[in-house]
Amino acid sequence: KMSVVRKSSYRHVYADTPKNENCFSGFRLTTQSWDMNYAEVNPLFLAVPTAAGGGSGVAIFNVDQPGRYSDIPLLGGHKGAVLNMKWNPFNDNVLATCSVDCSAKIWTIPQEGVGSEQISSTADLRGHSKKVGTVTWNPTAANILATSSADNSVKIWDIDDEAAAFSIPGHSGLITSCEWNYNGSILATACKDKHIRVIDPRAGEVVSDLERKKHQGN
């Protein structure tokens, strides 16, 4: 008789509980983040949004220095809770964050890490009128960043100029996700109005609008 359960070499493999000395601890996670991962990591650093300062602080740890921290190395320049963050794919020392304070910030992390609270950002990106929920780096063009906001717009930023090169309206609800395609030529957004939109950033407009008719929720 043929078994209906497919055999797997990993069926009875379990991970060991990590030892405390191999973990990062001593801080409380924020409770105010967007729909995001609670940790962003690259080959050098681990970034974690914390409850410090009402959620406005981001802890930066060197990945090779786990342990329990009593003095948390923080990025503390935002005036409201940090909602999202992404490491630059071209530079492991550069992090983008966005916040309830209607701004996105670019941070340059020293090679040795953050020794004490760092409140001076490399770039301060302002232009959205409501909280900024997503940040995403262009995968092929250095220093190009896309943000989306509760003001129902997407902005494309030139980090060197600290200015929005393009601002794309056209959404009628909260934008929950914003991502580039593999070569960085177009963007796709998902929105609470049950539409998926494809954006041509150079044209500054929505070039395709798909209604998610088969989804029951937002």
Side-chain angles (χ1 to χ4, degrees), residues 156-173:
I156 312 298
W157 302 85
D158 184 332
I159 302 305
D160 293 332
D161 295 336
E162 294 189 46
F166 302 98
S167 184
I168 301 100
H171 296 77
S172 57

Side-chain angles (χ1 to χ4, degrees), residues 28-106:
R28 291 189 301 118
L29 288 173
T30 181
T31 58
Q32 300 189 56
S33 67
W34 204 259
D35 186 10
M36 64 170 285
N37 296 323
Y38 273 91
E40 290 288 334
V41 67
N42 68 18
L44 297 179
F45 302 108
L46 167 67
V48 182
T50 72
S56 63
V58 176
I60 303 293
F61 302 102
N62 294 65
V63 294
D64 59 352
Q65 297 175 17
R68 184 173 183 83
Y69 284 76
S70 56
D71 185 15
I72 306 298
L74 285 175
L75 304 178
H78 281 292
K79 302 301 182 184
V82 172
L83 299 179
N84 221 319
M85 56 192 180
K86 285 289 189 302
W87 291 106
N88 189 325
F90 296 94
N91 188 336
D92 288 337
N93 295 83
V94 175
L95 178 72
T97 60
C98 61
S99 170
V100 169
D101 66 9
C102 306
S103 76
K105 291 181 182 292
I106 308 300

Side-chain angles (χ1 to χ4, degrees), residues 174-212:
L174 185 67
I175 300 167
T176 56
S177 181
C178 179
E179 294 293 338
W180 296 94
N181 68 338
Y182 75 98
N183 64 8
S185 60
I186 57 175
L187 279 162
T189 62
C191 184
K192 280 201 169 183
D193 63 8
K194 300 184 180 181
H195 285 249
I196 296 173
R197 294 173 175 86
V198 177
I199 296 170
D200 181 345
R202 293 177 179 82
E205 61 183 12
V206 175
V207 295
S208 182
D209 189 339
L210 307 173
E211 187 175 3
R212 297 180 289 177

